[in-house]
Amino acid sequence: MNLAESLLGALKRAGVGQVFGIPGDFALPLFTVMERSAILPLHTLSHEPAVGFAADAAARITSRPGAMAVTWGAGALNAVNAVASAYAEQVPLVVISGAPGTHEGRGGLGLHHQVKTLDSQFLIYREITCDQARLDDPRLAPEAISRVLGNCIQRSRPVYFELPRDLVDAECAAAPDPVMPTASPEAIAECVAEVRARLAAARAPVVMVCVEVRRFGLEARVEQLVRQLGLPVVTSFMGRGLLAGPDSPLLGTYLGVAGDPAITDLVERSDCLLLLGVIPSDTNFGISETRLDPRAMLLARDGAVRIGHHRYADVPLAALVDGLLDGTTTRHTPLPLVPEPQAPQVFVADEAGITPADVAAAIQELFRRHGPMPMAADMGDCLFTALDIGHAELVAPGYYASMGYGVPAGLGVQAATGRRPLVLVGDGAFQMTGWELGNCRRYGWDPIVVVFNNQSWEMMRVFEPDSRYSELDDWNFAACAEPLGGEGVRVHTRAGLWQALEQAVASPGKFWLIDAMIPRGAISPTLGRYVAGLKRKRNR
Ligand code: TPW
Ligand code: MG
């Protein structure tokens, strides 16, 4: 086997399902091996940011590493924002970049795509990945591949491989499977005992779940745990979409002042908040009116558990959950776990204009009738609208918050799961990456895309209501769909929206672009509360 096959084989054994990419001359030998070997399916897209977002979404939805292949310089550096997003949101993403051959660059001339030195790209990627390897020695490559992939999985963060183009075909051994470090059983036992004691002594313990629970594939076990211990469970903002199954014990999503007051109360009054895999981001906690008491927090994330002011440095989330599951029930009177009924959202398909709340209600009704679909949301009011839809699977950039995520993420979800996704995206974000829909036809992808077309960067306007720079032109997105291989329809009323959604569901096989015309200034209830809360905090 050659070096590229060794790498691809290792990716496949690590659970990677496909590679997204765009070639370039430094990556051509790699792409040739990918195509010929067919070890993993290769999906090419149109722009590197989308390649990164698609691979990121594939990783999020499957809880397995995602993979992307790009060329050196113009390709890899074009993907920096997407990889940075994956780093911030703890997505295991394998970046493979082609690179100049081992002896290229010595002739005194700068190589095309070179920035400052031949190392510039490696140094840039060192900042946004948790481990890196330049595979420039086929004898050392298998070990390096194994180490880097191990870190990708264990730390749930992006990693980086650089593959000199002259070594792609070099003879190479298979990479050994990554060896995961084992944590000390005594440390785990001590930590578990302390967490258990804290929970047992607490007056009002609450569990909050966030992205790591999904990344490490722990949803089912956490669900079992909260049932066993009789604990109320909520998700963080970033964790929205977790525990979305029909019989889930989930109570709701904590959104501070922007959310359901009962959930906010529950979390903010808890004297023992068990935070499972929660990223302490401003989007998760910045919107609380009260400052959460660190002494009441038990935070398990990034391989460690922090309890009040002390810390167990080496207790992975899975070990803590398993340890807690192992024991007998500690609470004698389990709290009622009946989820609060969702606020009844009545959707009336009449001739009234469309608001974001109508989109949420229509989609909720659609899922009720035809079953849930996995959702991908972009940044913008569409993300807050996603929070107004009942619990359903969701991938979204809830912390790093990059625009342009939604459409490529939807493609990544469909490529990785084969399930038809629903994409929620603003008109501004659609202008960034909407073109990627043109790749659906050749792969047989058929997402349903709802564009929140308010002809505005509305989220900017809510902060700067008098700005004119936030006004966007009316691009007729619906009319773009057909030449790209899909079906487009522009809707102005709730009846039109409903009919379009029903039609889209009834006609799979091609993408549907529903261009939902929403008046400027009409925002979702959750965004309204979110912004009001932020402004209140800022003015204090
Ligand atoms: C890559 C900053 C966050 S939200 C937003 C901007 C410019 C407006 C989004 O407009 P859209 O949605 O998509 O029409 P809506 O609901 O607000 O009307 N560049 C990047 N990412 C971010 N987050 C921004 C700028 C931003
Ligand atoms: Mg907009």
Side-chain angles (χ1 to χ4, degrees), residues 169-193:
D169 292 310
E171 187 64 29
C172 183
D177 286 338
V179 185
M180 297 300 170
T182 44
S184 141
E186 288 87 32
I188 293 171
E190 193 175 314
C191 177
V192 166

Short mmCIF file of all heavy atoms in Angstrom, two decimals, residues 169-193:
data_model
loop_
_atom_site.label_atom_id
_atom_site.label_comp_id
_atom_site.label_asym_id
_atom_site.label_seq_id
_atom_site.Cartn_x
_atom_site.Cartn_y
_atom_site.Cartn_z
N ASP A 169 2.61 8.22 -3.44
CA ASP A 169 2.67 6.84 -3.93
C ASP A 169 3.80 6.03 -3.30
O ASP A 169 4.03 4.88 -3.69
CB ASP A 169 2.83 6.84 -5.46
CG ASP A 169 1.57 7.36 -6.14
OD1 ASP A 169 0.48 6.86 -5.79
OD2 ASP A 169 1.67 8.27 -6.98
N ALA A 170 4.49 6.61 -2.34
CA ALA A 170 5.59 5.88 -1.69
C ALA A 170 5.03 4.70 -0.91
O ALA A 170 3.97 4.80 -0.29
CB ALA A 170 6.36 6.81 -0.77
N GLU A 171 5.76 3.60 -0.93
CA GLU A 171 5.36 2.40 -0.20
C GLU A 171 5.26 2.73 1.30
O GLU A 171 6.11 3.43 1.85
CB GLU A 171 6.42 1.31 -0.46
CG GLU A 171 6.09 -0.06 0.08
CD GLU A 171 4.87 -0.68 -0.57
OE1 GLU A 171 4.58 -0.38 -1.75
OE2 GLU A 171 4.19 -1.47 0.12
N CYS A 172 4.23 2.24 1.94
CA CYS A 172 4.01 2.61 3.35
C CYS A 172 3.23 1.50 4.03
O CYS A 172 2.35 0.88 3.42
CB CYS A 172 3.24 3.92 3.41
SG CYS A 172 2.97 4.55 5.07
N ALA A 173 3.52 1.27 5.30
CA ALA A 173 2.78 0.25 6.06
C ALA A 173 1.43 0.80 6.51
O ALA A 173 1.22 2.01 6.51
CB ALA A 173 3.60 -0.18 7.28
N ALA A 174 0.55 -0.10 6.90
CA ALA A 174 -0.73 0.35 7.47
C ALA A 174 -0.46 1.04 8.80
O ALA A 174 0.47 0.67 9.53
CB ALA A 174 -1.65 -0.85 7.69
N ALA A 175 -1.27 2.05 9.10
CA ALA A 175 -1.10 2.75 10.39
C ALA A 175 -1.72 1.91 11.50
O ALA A 175 -2.81 1.37 11.32
CB ALA A 175 -1.77 4.11 10.32
N PRO A 176 -1.04 1.78 12.64
CA PRO A 176 -1.65 1.05 13.74
C PRO A 176 -2.87 1.81 14.25
O PRO A 176 -2.94 3.03 14.13
CB PRO A 176 -0.55 1.01 14.81
CG PRO A 176 0.43 2.07 14.43
CD PRO A 176 0.28 2.33 12.96
N ASP A 177 -3.83 1.11 14.81
CA ASP A 177 -4.99 1.80 15.37
C ASP A 177 -4.53 2.65 16.55
O ASP A 177 -3.65 2.24 17.30
CB ASP A 177 -6.05 0.79 15.83
CG ASP A 177 -6.76 0.18 14.63
OD1 ASP A 177 -6.75 0.83 13.55
OD2 ASP A 177 -7.31 -0.93 14.75
N PRO A 178 -5.12 3.84 16.70
CA PRO A 178 -4.70 4.71 17.80
C PRO A 178 -4.90 4.03 19.16
O PRO A 178 -5.87 3.31 19.35
CB PRO A 178 -5.64 5.91 17.69
CG PRO A 178 -6.23 5.84 16.33
CD PRO A 178 -6.19 4.42 15.90
N VAL A 179 -3.94 4.23 20.03
CA VAL A 179 -4.07 3.71 21.40
C VAL A 179 -4.55 4.86 22.27
O VAL A 179 -3.91 5.90 22.35
CB VAL A 179 -2.71 3.20 21.93
CG1 VAL A 179 -2.89 2.55 23.30
CG2 VAL A 179 -2.10 2.22 20.95
N MET A 180 -5.69 4.68 22.89
CA MET A 180 -6.22 5.75 23.74
C MET A 180 -5.62 5.63 25.14
O MET A 180 -5.59 4.53 25.69
CB MET A 180 -7.75 5.66 23.81
CG MET A 180 -8.42 5.85 22.48
SD MET A 180 -8.03 7.47 21.79
CE MET A 180 -8.69 7.30 20.15
N PRO A 181 -5.16 6.72 25.68
CA PRO A 181 -4.59 6.65 27.03
C PRO A 181 -5.68 6.26 28.03
O PRO A 181 -6.83 6.66 27.89
CB PRO A 181 -4.11 8.08 27.28
CG PRO A 181 -4.89 8.93 26.35
CD PRO A 181 -5.25 8.09 25.17
N THR A 182 -5.30 5.44 29.00
CA THR A 182 -6.30 5.08 30.01
C THR A 182 -6.12 5.96 31.23
O THR A 182 -4.99 6.19 31.67
CB THR A 182 -6.15 3.60 30.41
OG1 THR A 182 -4.76 3.33 30.61
CG2 THR A 182 -6.71 2.68 29.35
N ALA A 183 -7.24 6.44 31.74
CA ALA A 183 -7.17 7.29 32.92
C ALA A 183 -7.03 6.42 34.16
O ALA A 183 -7.37 5.23 34.14
CB ALA A 183 -8.42 8.15 33.00
N SER A 184 -6.54 7.00 35.23
CA SER A 184 -6.34 6.25 36.46
C SER A 184 -7.69 5.87 37.07
O SER A 184 -8.53 6.73 37.34
CB SER A 184 -5.54 7.10 37.45
OG SER A 184 -6.03 6.93 38.76
N PRO A 185 -7.91 4.55 37.31
CA PRO A 185 -9.19 4.14 37.90
C PRO A 185 -9.43 4.76 39.28
O PRO A 185 -10.57 5.07 39.63
CB PRO A 185 -9.06 2.62 38.01
CG PRO A 185 -7.90 2.23 37.18
CD PRO A 185 -7.02 3.41 37.04
N GLU A 186 -8.34 4.97 40.03
CA GLU A 186 -8.52 5.58 41.36
C GLU A 186 -9.03 7.01 41.23
O GLU A 186 -9.93 7.44 41.96
CB GLU A 186 -7.20 5.59 42.16
CG GLU A 186 -6.75 4.24 42.66
CD GLU A 186 -5.91 3.52 41.62
OE1 GLU A 186 -5.21 4.21 40.85
OE2 GLU A 186 -5.97 2.29 41.56
N ALA A 187 -8.44 7.75 40.28
CA ALA A 187 -8.86 9.15 40.10
C ALA A 187 -10.33 9.19 39.69
O ALA A 187 -11.11 10.00 40.20
CB ALA A 187 -7.99 9.82 39.04
N ILE A 188 -10.69 8.28 38.78
CA ILE A 188 -12.09 8.26 38.33
C ILE A 188 -13.01 7.92 39.50
O ILE A 188 -14.03 8.59 39.73
CB ILE A 188 -12.26 7.24 37.18
CG1 ILE A 188 -11.49 7.73 35.95
CG2 ILE A 188 -13.73 7.04 36.85
CD1 ILE A 188 -11.40 6.72 34.84
N ALA A 189 -12.62 6.90 40.26
CA ALA A 189 -13.48 6.47 41.38
C ALA A 189 -13.66 7.60 42.39
O ALA A 189 -14.78 7.86 42.87
CB ALA A 189 -12.87 5.25 42.05
N GLU A 190 -12.56 8.32 42.67
CA GLU A 190 -12.66 9.40 43.65
C GLU A 190 -13.57 10.52 43.14
O GLU A 190 -14.41 11.05 43.86
CB GLU A 190 -11.24 9.95 43.91
CG GLU A 190 -11.15 10.84 45.13
CD GLU A 190 -9.70 11.26 45.40
OE1 GLU A 190 -8.81 10.38 45.36
OE2 GLU A 190 -9.48 12.45 45.61
N CYS A 191 -13.40 10.82 41.86
CA CYS A 191 -14.21 11.88 41.24
C CYS A 191 -15.69 11.48 41.23
O CYS A 191 -16.56 12.27 41.61
CB CYS A 191 -13.69 12.14 39.84
SG CYS A 191 -14.64 13.35 38.95
N VAL A 192 -15.95 10.25 40.81
CA VAL A 192 -17.33 9.78 40.74
C VAL A 192 -17.99 9.83 42.13
O VAL A 192 -19.13 10.28 42.28
CB VAL A 192 -17.39 8.35 40.17
CG1 VAL A 192 -18.75 7.71 40.39
CG2 VAL A 192 -17.04 8.36 38.68
N ALA A 193 -17.22 9.41 43.12
CA ALA A 193 -17.77 9.40 44.48
C ALA A 193 -18.11 10.82 44.92
O ALA A 193 -19.16 11.06 45.54
CB ALA A 193 -16.76 8.77 45.45
#
